[in-house]
Amino acid sequence: MTEPLTALPTVEPEAEVYNARLVRRVDETDSLAYFWVRFDGDPTPFEPGQYMTIGVMANGRILQRPYSVASPPAVAGTEGYEFYVRRVQGGTFTPVLFELPVGHGMRMIGPKGKFTLLPDDDRTHIFISSGTGNAPFVSMMKQLLLEGRPRRAVFLNGVSYEHELGYRELVEGWQRSGEYPVRFVPTVSRPNDPKNAGWAGRTGRVEAILAPVLDELELSAANSIAYICGNPDMIVSAEATLLERGYPEEQVHKELYWPKGKEPRGITGAADLAAAMDAAASNADQ
């Protein structure tokens, strides 16, 4: 059942806290879009995989949310920081963000996060994501391409509907041309829905296809390393599959997101919760 629309708060067009602007936007679907935000001054360095927090002043308070950066650090000063965002019906910030005109002032702070690539790692990188959780992997791969040292990768992305496969054209293009040594493995979790009528690829949630993909591509702890980003249920399940297959914990890197009140059972203690809650928060397939 669709939630009823509620009135959006009044956004302040200019505010003292604003230090950046929305400079570009491209819509993928009605509820998925790419946003580019650029600092008014010099860019802040970051590592691929980290996240920035963006926001606006509305009704006298700051509305903000952290998002993984999808662009490479090399273009932060010119193109800005790219974010891949899903509009959440009834959400606090995303409905406001989707109504902002290009050129609007924003507040951007960061970077934060430790979900970054290990240096000089020549193993096959298994990038596992649900929904918009593919954003940090795009940042990583674009920067590696700019540096002229792309790493072999298998790019798994699970969505509900085919039209939600963000960055599909980009990654398929890399695979087709050989510009980046990547194998793209998308999957849809609702194959019987009319919206997926033309889909002929893999079906099921991304964590469900992980084991078959590992077998098909002969991937193991001896020749690969895994990075997982998305909703907590997916991460817990994918991590369990990898650990069962002999991947040590230090070889399974993950970035967590969950809605408030649905923290994963693996988090224990206030310190763990506080640290984890500070992770990038846009990476759920909601």
Side-chain angles (χ1 to χ4, degrees):
M1 181 176 178
T2 303
E3 296 182 27
L5 295 176
T6 57
L8 295 178
T10 300
V11 177
E12 297 179 22
E14 296 295 341
E16 289 185 4
V17 298
Y18 291 170
N19 61 355
R21 296 199 174 269
L22 177 62
V23 295
R24 185 185 174 199
R25 169 182 175 171
V26 174
D27 291 286
E28 180 78 22
T29 70
D30 290 342
S31 60
L32 287 166
Y34 309 94
F35 297 87
W36 285 260
V37 181
R38 188 172 63 216
F39 280 116
D40 295 331
D42 293 334
T44 299
F46 73 96
E47 293 185 53
Q50 291 188 303
Y51 61 93
M52 306 290 287
T53 297
I54 58 174
V56 293
M57 290 296 297
N59 293 354
R61 66 188 183 98
I62 186 74
L63 300 180
Q64 60 186 3
R65 194 89 185 264
Y67 295 100
S68 296
V69 183
S71 52
V75 303
T78 53
E79 299 177 16
Y81 301 71
E82 179 183 346
F83 306 102
Y84 182 36
V85 183
R86 175 186 297 276
R87 178 172 184 160
V88 180
Q89 185 69 26
T92 301
F93 178 64
T94 58
V96 172
L97 175 63
F98 270 69
E99 295 302 318
L100 282 186
V102 170
H104 198 285
M106 300 192 74
R107 176 178 185 253
M108 182 162 58
I109 58 174
K112 288 187 177 181
K114 299 180 180 179
F115 188 64
T116 56
L117 292 174
L118 294 180
D120 303 319
D121 191 337
D122 62 359
R123 292 171 291 188
T124 296
H125 286 43
I126 308 171
F127 293 140
I128 307 162
S129 63
S130 58
T132 57
N134 54 10
F137 304 138
V138 172
S139 175
M140 294 171 180
M141 297 169 77
K142 283 185 173 181
Q143 184 63 28
L144 288 171
L145 267 180
L146 289 173
E147 295 172 358
R149 51 189 186 95
R151 304 176 182 182
R152 294 188 307 277
V154 177
F155 193 107
L156 289 84
N157 185 222
V159 295
S160 296
Y161 309 104
E162 179 183 5
H163 66 265
E164 297 178 330
L165 287 169
Y167 298 106
R168 178 183 183 180
E169 183 177 344
L170 173 69
V171 182
E172 284 186 337
W174 281 340
Q175 176 178 267
R176 186 168 51 250
S177 69
E179 180 182 5
Y180 199 106
V182 60
R183 176 75 173 268
F184 184 44
V185 187
T187 184
V188 300
S189 62
R190 301 180 182 181
N192 297 323
D193 191 287
K195 295 179 182 178
N196 288 321
W199 179 251
R202 295 176 190 262
T203 60
R205 299 178 68 87
V206 69
E207 61 268 36
I209 71 163
L210 177 57
V213 169
L214 295 176
D215 291 337
E216 291 171 24
L217 302 183
E218 298 182 345
L219 296 170
S220 68
N223 60 18
S224 61
I225 184 170
Y227 292 81
I228 320 172
C229 186
N231 69 67
D233 293 334
M234 181 278 288
I235 290 178
V236 169
S237 181
E239 181 181 30
T241 295
L242 293 163
L243 296 179
E244 289 170 1
R245 287 174 170 253
Y247 285 78
E249 289 187 7
E250 62 270 17
Q251 215 163 305
V252 180
H253 302 264
K254 51 191 181 292
E255 180 77 297
L256 294 170
Y257 164 85
W258 58 88
K260 184 178 180 181
K262 297 184 179 180
E263 294 80 7
R265 291 185 295 272
I267 298 296
T268 59
D272 287 345
L273 179 58
M277 286 291 285
D278 202 29
S282 67
N283 304 314
D285 185 16
Q286 301 178 62

